[in-house]
Amino acid sequence: MSRREYWIRKALCLGLSLSIGFVTPTMVCHRDASRWVADDADTQVSLANGVTAWVQSSELNTRSFSTSAQLFDDEWVFGTYFMAGMGLSQLVLAHPSEREARLPVIDHCIEQLLTERVRAFDTRLWRQDAFQALEHGGSGHVAYAGYLNLLLSLRRSIAPNPKLDLLNDKLSASFEKAILASPTRLIETYPGQVFPVDNMSAVGSIGLRAIALGQPAPSWLGSWAQTMRERFVDPSTGLLYQRVDVATGAPLDAPRGSGTAFGAYMLSFGESALSHELDVAVKRELDAQWLGFGGVREYPRSMSGFGDIDSGPVVFGVGVSATGFSIPSARRLRDGDWQARLLRTSMLFGAPHHRDHETRFVSGGPLGDALMFAMLTAPASPIVPLRRSYPEGG
Amino acid sequence: MRSLIRWLAVLVALVAIHELLSEWLVRENLVSRLLSPGAHTPWLSLVVSSAFFAVRFATLFVLPGAMAWKISHALFFRESDPRIEPPDASRARSTHPERA
């Protein structure tokens, strides 16, 4: 063998092994990702079964988590029921034949969210119960009641329930009053703390309630969105500030991926124009990709920062939460390539585990599984409530 | 061929370990604790999660390429072929003072 032939053969070996080494992980992760991109009903139902098992488990409590802070453990229990309820409702809206089986589980999630145990984190920080405060014309509590109301509005799009619909009406009226009375058009998450992302849940819930009732959107929604654009969206990146001052509305934190993507998801239910702008900004400013995998940065490229309880771990600038929360953005933008890249990454790190028509993510746990379920089944188009003639239940 | 079989055995073993770890971890809910990492993270969770991801990444990223290297090497450089020796080595031997 000549020297030239030897090195040609070596180069061929190297090229072949590198090609296979690069292509195999993408192909393996794409196998699961492609089912989600195609909205495969069996895949969605399988994860729904896994999430249902979590929320019906008697062991789901703060001991299921270990964030080192009681507040965050409590918030994660709340988040698990909320996300599970959202995901299951989205599943029913996409596949109405699932309604009979899933509605009792959705109602179980709502019942749990209404318990004192699950809303204790909000009560403790406010030193006042959310329902008592809102009943007496108070405001705030958006971290608890805003998210709850979004789920109630989504539940209302599936089937009526007099008790829950009444609560939905009360919460929506209370938030509308508080938002319009606030000089910043934002409500406090906790005393003295304002997070625009949490307000997106309240506003999304009000817009979605109108859709569920077949009513036109509230007239103030457009001007509220304009205020957000002018004051709480970073002009250079188009991303949402994570936290702002309660009195002046001045930014107290950077514009961030996790807050912007999650805010866009919740807002998409009731105010699609601003939601679309946030989706576009996330893709434009934060998209990161390598070898067929994709991630979303937590901070814009001109900034750097550490991870926190909102962002999850941040690795090489890419945030775990920002990446997961951006899957609905890719779905709404109908950007199949972006969606596939994000999903491959989710499958790589999430490590889906399938058994007996039940899917769970190895790195998911109760909150991770419920959150991924809600993100993976997020509607790509505005919600169309199930027909009134659909058999009533729940 | 023997080394190829050895690599294949490693691949099968890693896939088996990966599946067993997945099965166990999905029940024990250990890896999800890394979603809020910090000094409070239980060491067992950290060790097991690291092991799981090491196995997963080795199985997905390293082994396929390594297997391809072995297979392509076996195809392009047959072990029984005496011409397999690299050009530098054959030149060094031919210029060795005792053999020259």
Side-chain angles (χ1 to χ4, degrees):
Chain A
M1 185 192 299
S2 70
R3 185 186 173 90
R4 187 164 174 271
E5 191 183 350
Y6 175 87
W7 285 113
I8 287 174
R9 289 187 186 198
K10 277 282 181 192
L12 280 171
C13 288
L14 187 67
L16 197 67
S17 51
L18 282 178
S19 305
I20 289 176
F22 285 139
V23 167
T24 306
T26 315
M27 280 176 61
V28 170
C29 294
H30 189 73
R31 194 183 53 193
D32 277 309
S34 61
R35 296 191 193 118
W36 285 106
V37 173
D39 283 339
D40 177 58
D42 290 341
T43 306
Q44 294 179 345
V45 164
S46 182
L47 184 54
N49 293 339
V51 170
T52 298
W54 276 125
V55 295
Q56 289 186 329
S57 164
S58 57
E59 294 171 6
L60 181 58
N61 51 41
T62 53
R63 285 194 299 280
S64 307
F65 307 106
S66 60
T67 64
S68 80
Q70 183 68 35
L71 170 68
F72 298 139
D73 286 347
D74 290 345
E75 279 186 343
W76 283 25
V77 173
F78 170 82
T80 302
Y81 287 117
F82 167 70
M83 288 293 182
M86 292 296 289
L88 291 166
S89 302
Q90 290 163 177
L91 179 79
V92 170
L93 285 164
H95 309 286
S97 61
E98 288 290 319
R99 181 179 170 280
E100 294 307 312
R102 307 297 172 183
L103 202 52
V105 189
I106 296 168
D107 287 345
H108 171 72
C109 290
I110 296 174
E111 279 167 23
Q112 289 299 313
L113 290 172
L114 293 172
T115 59
E116 283 184 21
R117 168 182 81 99
V118 175
R119 66 174 196 263
F121 72 96
D122 180 83
T123 309
R124 200 164 45 244
L125 276 177
W126 279 95
R127 296 181 181 180
Q128 189 182 28
D129 183 79
F131 295 122
Q132 284 177 1
L134 298 171
E135 191 83 25
H136 294 99
S139 67
H141 299 276
V142 76
Y144 168 71
Y147 292 94
L148 170 67
N149 201 40
L150 182 60
L151 178 55
L152 290 174
S153 295
L154 197 57
R155 163 69 175 78
R156 201 168 192 170
S157 309
I158 296 170
N161 178 310
K163 184 184 151 203
L164 297 179
D165 294 348
L166 183 64
L167 180 60
N168 184 221
D169 291 339
K170 281 185 180 175
L171 289 175
S172 298
S174 171
F175 281 135
E176 184 171 328
K177 191 177 155 196
I179 287 169
L180 295 177
S182 164
T184 59
R185 293 284 188 270
L186 294 175
I187 317 171
E188 288 166 283
T189 293
Y190 297 123
Q193 299 180 35
V194 175
F195 295 85
V197 58
D198 294 328
N199 280 263
M200 303 291 174
S201 66
V203 173
S205 73
I206 294 170
L208 181 56
R209 175 184 167 275
I211 291 170
L213 292 172
Q215 296 173 351
S219 56
W220 55 268
L221 270 187
S223 63
W224 178 89
Q226 191 55 33
T227 306
M228 293 299 113
R229 287 184 192 99
E230 290 167 3
R231 298 188 62 182
F232 306 115
V233 170
D234 175 42
S236 60
T237 60
L239 302 170
L240 199 63
Y241 293 120
Q242 194 84 349
R243 187 179 170 190
V244 300
D245 185 83
V246 65
T248 65
L252 295 177
D253 195 354
R256 287 170 53 174
S258 56
T260 306
F262 193 42
Y265 164 70
M266 292 184 293
L267 203 55
S268 70
F269 291 99
E271 213 289 323
S272 53
L274 179 57
S275 168
H276 178 78
E277 291 165 30
L278 296 176
D279 287 338
V280 171
V282 169
K283 170 80 196 301
R284 186 186 61 234
E285 299 292 331
L286 305 174
D287 182 26
Q289 52 178 299
W290 61 96
L291 301 174
F293 293 91
V296 172
R297 297 177 58 83
E298 177 62 14
Y299 296 90
R301 287 180 179 80
S302 57
M303 299 178 189
S304 61
F306 298 104
D308 60 13
I309 198 72
D310 292 330
S311 68
V314 174
V315 183
F316 300 119
V318 170
V320 170
S321 299
T323 301
F325 290 151
S326 296
I327 292 170
S329 297
R331 289 172 62 81
R332 285 189 297 273
L333 292 175
R334 299 185 189 281
D335 189 333
D337 287 343
W338 188 29
Q339 193 185 347
R341 285 199 304 272
L342 294 176
L343 287 170
R344 284 185 210 118
T345 307
S346 303
M347 300 305 144
L348 175 66
F349 289 96
H353 179 271
H354 314 285
R355 163 123 337 168
D356 301 332
H357 305 293
E358 190 179 303
T359 298
R360 290 186 182 192
F361 290 99
V362 172
S363 56
L367 180 63
D369 283 358
L371 194 150
M372 281 305 292
F373 180 48
M375 298 299 110
L376 290 166
T377 55
S381 316
I383 292 288
V384 177
L386 290 188
R387 285 195 308 275
R388 295 281 162 153
S389 57
Y390 209 84
E392 193 173 323
Chain B
M1 181 57 78
R2 207 175 294 161
S3 78
L4 194 63
I5 292 170
R6 200 165 56 229
W7 275 96
L8 203 62
V10 171
L11 179 67
V12 171
L14 272 180
V15 170
I17 291 169
H18 179 269
E19 289 306 303
L20 285 171
L21 271 175
S22 302
E23 187 73 40
W24 180 56
L25 290 173
V26 87
R27 282 195 205 138
E28 297 300 320
N29 186 24
L30 282 172
V31 185
S32 67
R33 292 175 196 277
L34 293 187
L35 288 174
S36 59
H40 61 279
T41 308
W43 67 269
L44 176 66
S45 172
L46 207 60
V47 169
V48 173
S49 305
S50 305
F52 173 72
F53 280 111
V55 170
R56 184 166 175 80
F57 279 58
T59 311
L60 284 175
F61 284 93
V62 181
L63 270 184
M67 285 296 296
W69 172 262
K70 281 286 168 189
I71 292 169
S72 59
H73 213 263
L75 286 173
F76 290 122
F77 300 91
R78 283 179 295 146
E79 286 180 31
S80 57
D81 193 338
R83 294 174 300 171
I84 194 170
E85 59 187 22
D88 285 342
S90 60
R91 190 168 52 185
R93 195 174 299 161
S94 63
T95 54
H96 194 281
E98 286 182 10
R99 292 188 181 213

